[in-house]
Amino acid sequence: MFFKALLLALVPAVFAVDHAITIGLNNTLTFTPDQVIADVGDTLTFTVVARNHSTTTTNFDGAVCPPPPGGVGENGWDSGFLSDLDGSMPQFVYTVVDTAPHFAACMQAAGAHCRAGMTFALNPTAEQTYEQFKANAMAS
Ligand SMILES: *[C@@H]1O[C@H](CO)[C@@H](O)[C@H](O)[C@H]1NC(C)=O
Ligand SMILES: *[C@@H]1O[C@H](CO)[C@@H](O)[C@H](O)[C@H]1NC(C)=O
Ligand SMILES: [Cu+2]
C-alpha cells in the first residue's frame, strides 16, 4: 500500500518533460522554438543567449504589445528582464499548470521587440494559432 502510493506520487515527475526554449538565437528577436505543446507538470526552460529580453504573457489579440509587467492571464508568467549582455545566459523556468493556450512576447524596448514578432505560444489551438498571434502582435 505504502509503496503503491509512493509510486503514484512519483509518476508525474517521471513523465514530466522539460522543453528548452532559446531566446535570441543568432542575436535575432526570436524564441526557438516559437511554439510548444506541453502537458501539466512539464517545464519550459527559457535561456537568453543574446542581449536583454523577457518572456511575458500577453493578450492573443487587441493589446498585444508590449506585454504588461507581471504578464496577462490566469497562470501567466513574467520572467522580468533577463540580460545576457554579460554573457551569463540567464534562465527562467515555468511549470505548466493547465492545458489552456498561453501567448507570450518580449517586453523590451516598449514593445518594439514584440511588434517585430518576438513571440511565443504554449499550447496554441486551431482557433488561436501561433501564426495568428504573431500577426496580431506585429499589427498591434
Ligand atoms: C541560427 O543560425 C543557424 C545556423 O546558421 C540557422 O540554421 C538557424 O536557422 C538560425 N536560427 C535563427 C532563429 O536565426
Ligand atoms: C535590461 O533592459 C531593461 C529595460 O530596458 C533595463 O531596465 C535594464 O537595465 C537592462 N539590463 C541591463 C543589464 O542592461
Ligand atoms: Cu526582446
Side-chain angles (χ1 to χ4, degrees):
M1 211 44 207
F2 171 76
F3 289 106
K4 190 176 176 191
L6 184 67
L7 185 66
L8 287 174
L10 288 173
V11 164
V14 169
F15 291 103
V17 173
D18 180 64
H19 304 266
I21 299 120
T22 303
I23 301 180
L25 188 62
N26 307 339
N27 200 14
T28 57
L29 300 181
T30 55
F31 291 80
T32 307
D34 53 22
Q35 50 189 312
V36 163
I37 302 297
D39 290 323
V40 171
D42 286 3
T43 48
L44 309 181
T45 299
F46 296 90
T47 305
V48 176
V49 299
R51 296 165 70 175
N52 179 356
H53 302 290
S54 84
T55 169
T56 308
T57 51
T58 190
N59 299 300
F60 175 76
D61 54 15
V64 180
C65 301
V72 162
E74 196 180 350
N75 301 325
W77 66 84
D78 179 14
S79 66
F81 288 105
L82 297 173
S83 175
D84 181 55
L85 294 171
D86 60 359
S88 59
M89 296 201 290
Q91 293 188 321
F92 174 77
V93 179
Y94 174 78
T95 302
V96 178
V97 289
D98 62 35
T99 55
H102 294 278
F103 298 93
C106 175
M107 63 180 173
Q108 185 58 275
H113 288 198
C114 177
R115 284 187 291 272
M118 192 168 190
T119 50
F120 171 82
L122 166 62
N123 293 331
T125 64
E127 294 75 34
Q128 294 192 320
T129 64
Y130 170 73
E131 289 73 20
Q132 186 60 56
F133 168 61
K134 182 177 178 180
N136 293 345
M138 295 181 81
S140 83

